[in-house]
Amino acid sequence: MTPLPHIARQWSSSGLHHWKQLSTREQFITSAGVVILLLWIIWQGVITPMAERQALAEKKLIASEVQLQKVKLQATQIEKLRSAGVSISPTHNMPMDQAVQQIARQYKLSIQKVQNRGDILEVSLPHGRFDSVMSWLVTLEENHGVRVKNIQLESTGTTGFVEVRRLQLERG
């Protein structure tokens, strides 16, 4: 069996010999073809994927901006209700953790962890639709008098979904 470096040397010498036998015009056309092929490979391998990633990032940005506008609208509505003196009276006297779990099931939210810390309930959700999480929190406040004391949300890789890292609820 012939060693690999020997085969490579043999190919390069035969390729060089063949190159020298080509006319100047054929060498120019072949060189131009190689350059065009290299440019096409760079275009397909680098530029096109970057453009696709940029378009996807722009779509995500637009979706996030729409979500932000919804959150701002809900925040202003909440502020208006609070300044108008709207009081919330719970319609159920069930324990706070039970109400949280029951309403979460209605909104198809999967609660990962619930910890009762006196008057405060700490909740975490691994993955949920943003609008479902917001509706769940509104329902808890309106129907059960359970308010959000503190919340920490993180976006997920999926548009419209969030992860609730930390949520502190209290009766108010």
Side-chain angles (χ1 to χ4, degrees), residues 10-67:
Q10 190 178 18
W11 280 358
S12 67
S13 66
S14 68
L16 186 59
H17 176 68
H18 182 69
W19 179 259
K20 288 180 181 180
Q21 288 180 341
L22 295 177
S23 69
T24 308
R25 181 173 181 233
E26 290 172 330
Q27 287 179 349
F28 176 76
I29 291 172
T30 304
S31 297
V34 168
V35 168
I36 290 172
L37 178 65
L38 287 174
L39 289 174
W40 181 82
I41 289 172
I42 290 170
W43 182 266
Q44 291 298 316
V46 177
I47 296 173
T48 301
M50 284 176 42
E52 289 170 355
R53 283 193 298 267
Q54 181 181 0
L56 180 62
E58 288 172 357
K59 278 184 180 178
K60 286 182 179 182
L61 176 65
I62 290 169
S64 296
E65 287 173 347
V66 168
Q67 269 186 333

Side-chain angles (χ1 to χ4, degrees), residues 92-156:
H92 299 286
N93 289 329
M94 76 172 67
M96 187 168 43
D97 60 338
Q98 211 173 12
V100 167
Q101 295 275 3
Q102 182 181 1
I103 304 301
R105 279 193 297 275
Q106 289 176 5
Y107 286 97
K108 295 180 175 67
L109 296 171
S110 173
I111 293 179
Q112 183 177 25
K113 178 176 72 170
V114 177
Q115 288 184 336
N116 197 342
R117 300 192 186 275
D119 293 339
I120 296 174
L121 199 64
E122 289 191 3
V123 180
S124 63
L125 294 160
H127 190 76
R129 290 195 56 81
F130 177 77
D131 54 346
S132 296
V133 172
M134 291 298 116
S135 298
W136 170 61
L137 294 173
V138 168
T139 302
L140 283 173
E141 187 166 352
E142 290 175 348
N143 297 344
H144 299 279
V146 177
R147 293 182 7 173
V148 175
K149 181 176 181 182
N150 189 2
I151 189 167
Q152 179 185 358
L153 298 174
E154 280 195 27
S155 68
T156 62

Side-chain angles (χ1 to χ4, degrees), residues 71-86:
V71 169
K72 285 182 179 180
L73 178 64
Q74 287 179 347
T76 57
Q77 289 173 344
I78 290 170
E79 288 300 319
K80 285 179 186 176
L81 289 173
R82 284 186 180 161
S83 66
V86 174

